[in-house]
Amino acid sequence: MERGWLHGKGFLLFFILHLLLQGRGDTFTINCSGFDQHGVDPAAFQAVFDRKAFRPVINYSVPTHVNISFTLSAILKVDAHLQLMTSFLRLSMIWHNPFIRWNPDECGGIKKLSIATENLWLPDMFIQEFMNVDQTPAGLMAYVNSEGHTKYNKPMRVDTICKLDIFYFPFDEQNCTLSFSSFAYTVENMVLGMETEVQELSNTSRNLTQSKGEWVLLGITQRAIKMTVSSNQYDQIIFYVAIRRRPMLYIINLLVPSGFLVAIDALSFYLPAESGNRAPFKITLLLGYNVFLLMMNDLLPSSGTPLISVYFALCLSLMVLSLLETVFITYLLHLATTQPPPMPSWLHSLLLHCTCPRKCCPTAPHKGNEGLGLPQAQLPGLKEPVELVEKSPGPGEAEVAGGSRWTRAQREQEAQKQHRVELWVQFSHMMDTLLFRLYLLFMASSILTVIGLWNT
Ligand SMILES: *[C@@H]1O[C@H](CO)[C@@H](O)[C@H](O)[C@H]1NC(C)=O
Ligand SMILES: *[C@@H]1O[C@H](CO)[C@@H](O)[C@H](O)[C@H]1NC(C)=O
Ligand SMILES: *[C@@H]1O[C@H](CO)[C@@H](O)[C@H](O)[C@H]1NC(C)=O
Ligand SMILES: *[C@@H]1O[C@H](CO)[C@@H](O)[C@H](O)[C@H]1NC(C)=O
Ligand SMILES: *[C@@H]1O[C@H](CO)[C@@H](O)[C@H](O)[C@H]1NC(C)=O
Ligand SMILES: *[C@@H]1O[C@H](CO)[C@@H](O)[C@H](O)[C@H]1NC(C)=O
């Protein structure tokens, strides 16, 4: 019994000594005899596994070179409210572990081994913009070759903070950054490098993200800097991820319906204001537009003021303005048919100035009337005076002198009234034309803006 115990103790001592000697030697070659017959012997790697808490270097003054690369495989979401970009990427890191080395010829030709990462030292790479807990799955593997080069790939779903500028929504481009650096190791202990060229990385990522998501990857560029945090310097590689939104969904769901509603509202100027149909029609449109805005609110970015919101506000204001104008004109025409008030002289001269055909005025109401197809005299109370004026040289000329005088005075009054009514009708048509042209101008400029933004 005693001897057996002593024997066991001696064996243990020998084993520890053996390990220490193996570790202390100049070359840390793993003895892999029997790998080809009995599989990998865990004891052969035990010395490496025991060192996993420490950075694997022989001389601690020498920094570890970690080469990184990643492929962006999806852009899942870009949240303008939280200013977050959610993407999925595959991070790949390569470094050298001098304690792992074997001779492939002695080891049954094994050149590459996969080792569970919980047994190895791993660089603590993190993304500075990362705003979530690391959800890296457990039980990942790393590949180690016979020279000690270790390659570790890990999938990451990253929520990174990104300064989003949604002014040109939905024609916006964003430039998000992913800054990789070590969390703990300063530049004296860890130096970062690129595993693949950034152009290749960008090409591969573009190929992978070509699914029909909302965002298109334009390209990735890279810059290496030294980051200083409280007198410590850290190596950092910054990747700029440029993405652009696919605007089609928003054009179809936001711009087209809004444009149609405004166009119908513009066309409603063809409805004669005198008939009283126009105001209800415009109110219905306004209601429809509000419902549209309410429903489409989800599609708009929930923060900031994009240009498209300004456009919607302008559309709404234009519709309200035209409704107000219609109400005003309806009131005016009603007033004109009952007891037309005299037109203020400034308004009269303005009207004359604008109707003057010689001057190339933007608002020539007569032309506008024809263009708009508004019938000139449609007022119910207008018919009689027109007839009265036209049949002035009638057979009833030779009448009683007193009666004739009375008729003439009445006729003059009627003519004056008729003139006033005509002036007010002209004025209302001028306002209609003015507003109609404002609509045309607005629609043309918004179409040009959309085309301009789309093509840049
Ligand atoms: C490797 O280990 C075997 C026994 O496991 C031993 O016989 C052999 O001598 C060792 N080789 C070296 C180079 O240490
Ligand atoms: C460790 O590395 C430093 C810097 O490269 C060097 O000056 C030093 O001599 C090295 N130490 C040994 C023991 O090799
Ligand atoms: C890292 O990249 C540099 C330059 O591309 C290269 O010289 C070095 O060997 C690489 N290191 C590793 C561990 O792959
Ligand atoms: C990446 O793609 C561009 C064209 O899309 C090509 O010109 C370039 O050579 C490619 N670069 C690499 C490294 O594949
Ligand atoms: C991208 O995909 C195209 C074809 O789909 C292929 O020809 C090209 O080599 C790919 N580029 C990269 C960098 O994978
Ligand atoms: C993104 O921003 C960086 C720094 O501001 C700049 O160097 C890079 O060219 C930008 N990328 C694009 C595609 O605009």
Side-chain angles (χ1 to χ4, degrees):
M1 251 341 246
E2 193 85 339
R3 263 170 84 121
W5 181 82
L6 264 177
H7 180 75
K9 204 175 177 184
F11 180 76
L12 201 72
L13 206 73
F14 169 76
F15 185 70
I16 289 170
L17 215 76
H18 174 77
L19 277 181
L20 285 177
L21 277 175
Q22 203 180 25
R24 290 257 166 78
D26 275 353
T27 57
F28 296 87
T29 308
I30 288 163
N31 182 356
C32 56
S33 67
F35 276 23
D36 45 352
Q37 285 144 35
H38 312 298
V40 173
D41 180 13
F45 280 92
Q46 200 56 51
V48 176
F49 295 166
D50 289 343
R51 288 173 183 271
K52 72 168 182 178
F54 306 100
R55 189 163 60 90
V57 279
I58 296 167
N59 180 348
Y60 240 69
S61 318
V62 176
T64 303
H65 287 263
V66 179
N67 286 356
I68 61 166
S69 127
F70 72 92
T71 50
L72 195 71
S73 41
I75 297 158
L76 300 175
K77 203 170 81 182
V78 177
D79 190 328
H81 182 52
L82 299 175
Q83 302 265 302
L84 278 182
M85 175 178 81
T86 307
S87 53
F88 198 82
L89 51 92
R90 208 177 101 149
L91 177 64
S92 154
M93 292 180 272
I94 293 192
W95 68 95
H96 182 236
N97 188 335
F99 302 119
I100 303 177
R101 176 191 291 266
W102 69 84
N103 187 350
D105 297 335
E106 290 174 5
C107 306
I110 299 170
K111 292 203 177 72
K112 223 163 85 168
L113 268 180
S114 64
I115 299 177
T117 50
E118 60 254 32
N119 297 315
L120 291 175
W121 175 87
L122 300 173
D124 60 339
M125 197 60 56
F126 91 118
I127 300 173
Q128 213 185 349
E129 290 85 7
F130 195 39
M131 288 293 143
N132 207 339
V133 286
D134 193 0
Q135 291 163 346
T136 306
L140 288 175
M141 293 291 182
Y143 261 111
V144 182
N145 75 359
S146 57
E147 298 292 311
H149 283 284
T150 316
K151 180 166 182 160
Y152 173 43
N153 286 336
K154 70 169 176 176
M156 291 173 90
R157 184 187 196 270
V158 288
D159 299 317
T160 48
I161 199 136
C162 175
K163 199 167 171 295
L164 299 170
D165 179 11
I166 42 107
F167 183 69
Y168 292 113
F169 174 88
F171 303 100
D172 50 340
E173 280 180 26
Q174 309 294 348
N175 189 352
C176 291
T177 48
L178 297 172
S179 315
F180 289 86
S181 70
S182 167
F183 195 70
Y185 294 106
T186 57
V187 73
E188 292 89 31
N189 292 323
M190 195 192 282
V191 176
L192 300 184
M194 289 289 291
E195 189 195 331
T196 51
E197 262 185 65
V198 71
Q199 184 68 49
E200 196 185 323
L201 186 154
S202 174
N203 282 5
T204 315
S205 299
R206 254 211 309 268
N207 263 16
L208 285 175
T209 52
Q210 258 168 7
S211 62
K212 293 275 165 264
E214 191 186 343
W215 294 87
V216 190
L217 180 70
L218 295 177
I220 299 174
T221 50
Q222 163 257 337
R223 196 156 65 97
I225 61 156
K226 301 251 184 296
M227 178 182 59
T228 310
V229 178
S230 61
S231 78
N232 287 329
Q233 274 204 324
Y234 296 87
D235 221 13
Q236 193 175 52
I237 297 183
I238 303 177
F239 293 94
Y240 297 102
V241 180
I243 52 177
R244 186 172 62 209
R245 202 189 291 270
R246 285 193 174 95
M248 214 45 178
L249 170 80
Y250 300 97
I251 290 176
I252 290 172
N253 282 328
L254 292 177
L255 293 177
V256 169
S258 167
F260 276 152
L261 283 174
V262 172
I264 293 170
D265 199 38
L267 286 181
S268 74
F269 281 108
Y270 281 95
L271 292 176
E274 298 88 342
S275 72
N277 279 341
R278 207 203 274 174
F281 187 77
K282 276 185 183 294
I283 288 171
T284 315
L285 274 182
L286 198 62
L287 196 68
Y289 198 75
N290 273 315
V291 171
F292 160 77
L293 283 186
L294 220 61
M295 283 173 65
M296 288 307 142
N297 217 14
D298 293 347
L299 281 181
L300 288 176
S302 47
S303 70
T305 312
L307 198 57
I308 196 168
S309 298
V310 178
Y311 164 75
F312 287 152
L314 279 179
C315 286
L316 197 66
S317 337
L318 211 55
M319 288 172 117
V320 170
L321 186 71
S322 81
L323 179 63
L324 288 179
E325 186 256 11
T326 303
V327 169
F328 178 63
I329 280 179
T330 313
Y331 164 73
L332 214 62
L333 290 180
H334 171 74
L335 203 69
T337 46
T338 49
Q339 35 169 203
M343 187 170 268
S345 55
W346 61 270
L347 197 58
H348 192 193
S349 56
L350 184 75
L351 198 62
L352 276 182
H353 176 78
C354 284
T355 49
C356 176
R358 256 170 290 148
K359 286 184 184 149
C360 242
C361 278
T363 55
H366 283 304
K367 267 199 253 163
N369 288 348
E370 279 154 26
L372 285 172
L374 295 175
Q376 273 284 8
Q378 261 212 345
L379 294 168
L382 220 61
K383 284 257 158 67
E384 274 174 63
V386 169
E387 275 163 19
L388 236 162
V389 171
E390 271 171 1
K391 65 174 183 183
S392 47
E397 190 74 39
E399 278 288 331
V400 190
S404 175
R405 218 179 293 127
W406 183 82
T407 319
R408 178 166 294 161
Q410 197 191 32
R411 212 182 279 162
E412 266 174 18
Q413 206 185 359
E414 280 300 330
Q416 205 180 1
K417 187 181 170 188
Q418 160 67 9
H419 182 64
R420 278 187 196 165
V421 169
E422 258 181 17
L423 277 182
W424 282 117
V425 168
Q426 229 172 53
F427 172 70
S428 73
H429 287 160
M430 189 189 79
M431 282 187 68
D432 269 2
T433 316
L434 204 70
L435 214 59
F436 184 69
R437 289 189 182 192
L438 193 64
Y439 263 83
L440 289 187
L441 191 73
F442 177 72
M443 287 196 290
S445 52
S446 49
I447 287 172
L448 286 182
T449 311
V450 166
I451 289 173
L453 285 175
W454 203 351
N455 286 338
T456 51

